Amino acid sequence: MLGPPGSGKGTYASRLTAILGVPHISTGDMVREEIKAQTEIGRRIKEYSDRGELVPDDIIIAMLLERLKKPDAQRGFILDGFTRTLKQAEELEKLFRINLVVNLNVPDEIIIQRLSNRLVCRRCGAIYNRLTLKPKVDEICDLCGGELYQRDDDKPEVIRERLNVYRRITEPLIRYYREKGVLKDVYCNDLMTPPDVIVEKILGFIRDMEKEEAEKKGG
Ligand code: ADP
Ligand code: ZN
């Protein structure tokens, strides 16, 4: 899943995971877990995450490749928040073939509205929104009863920096994957578009991709 912060990568990926039965691997969640657990790595990456900057490639690539060795990832996976730099894309490609890159196109106004109203479950990571995806009970997760909180990097100044970083460093990957013929665009111009509408579109791309792969094999 490729797209700016707040484009819905995590929301869609977590729904797709339930439908497709392959894990949703979010490097942002992994970063937050390391920081929370105050590991050696967590201490080294906190300053980057707090400022809305990218964690150094060598650290994040090592973390991701370690995760991809686990048994649940052997039949496929959905990546959310990775790749974010050309270096990451090149390293991933050495070991895996990426079948589909979903590029989420969302205008900045919507991103800012979404992120400044986003709430996350402290226990299970589920994502809510004060405007569009309210929990049934205020400040409580529908799924696990955990407490909802606002991420430290969802503050206006940090949101702006994350958007800058995205435009400068990650957006060039759109061209990279488009040239490889694996990129599909999704457009979301309305804050109120229900997640399932987008999820259906992505499932359509996956069906097309699987059909093509089958034809190639059978061909
Ligand atoms: P966003 O909501 O901005 O897409 P994420 O939850 O994916 O944010 O990531 C949060 C933070 O974790 C990023 O701002 C960055 O510091 C770090 N991070 C996550 N994934 C990567 C990555 N692939 N490369 C470098 N840093 C990353
Ligand atoms: Zn929860």
Side-chain angles (χ1 to χ4, degrees), residues 111-125:
I111 287 173
I112 291 163
Q113 284 215 43
R114 271 214 191 122
L115 293 183
S116 47
N117 288 292
R118 172 159 76 177
L119 297 171
V120 185
C121 174
R122 219 178 265 289
R123 201 183 296 162
C124 77

Side-chain angles (χ1 to χ4, degrees), residues 5 9 27-28 31-32 48-49 53-55 60 81-82 84 88 118 151 153 162:
K9 301 184 295 283
T27 45
V31 162
R32 283 182 288 280
Y48 298 97
S49 168
E53 291 168 13
L54 295 181
V55 167
I60 203 89
F82 194 98
R84 262 174 150 105
Q88 292 175 18
R118 172 159 76 177
R151 269 169 50 174
D153 59 352
R162 283 157 63 207

Side-chain angles (χ1 to χ4, degrees), residues 7 13 16 22 42 49 89 94 101 103 129 135 158 161 181:
S7 56
L16 287 165
V22 293
S49 168
K94 285 184 190 163
V101 175
N103 180 35
N129 189 291
V158 187
E161 178 58 18

Side-chain angles (χ1 to χ4, degrees), residues 121-126 128 141-148:
C121 174
R122 219 178 265 289
R123 201 183 296 162
C124 77
Y128 297 84
C141 177
D142 292 353
L143 301 176
C144 78
E147 178 204 357
L148 305 184

Side-chain angles (χ1 to χ4, degrees), residues 202-213:
I202 299 173
L203 288 171
F205 293 145
I206 294 173
R207 280 190 291 269
D208 293 346
M209 179 266 291
E210 285 177 337
K211 221 188 295 166
E212 262 175 50
E213 299 270 314

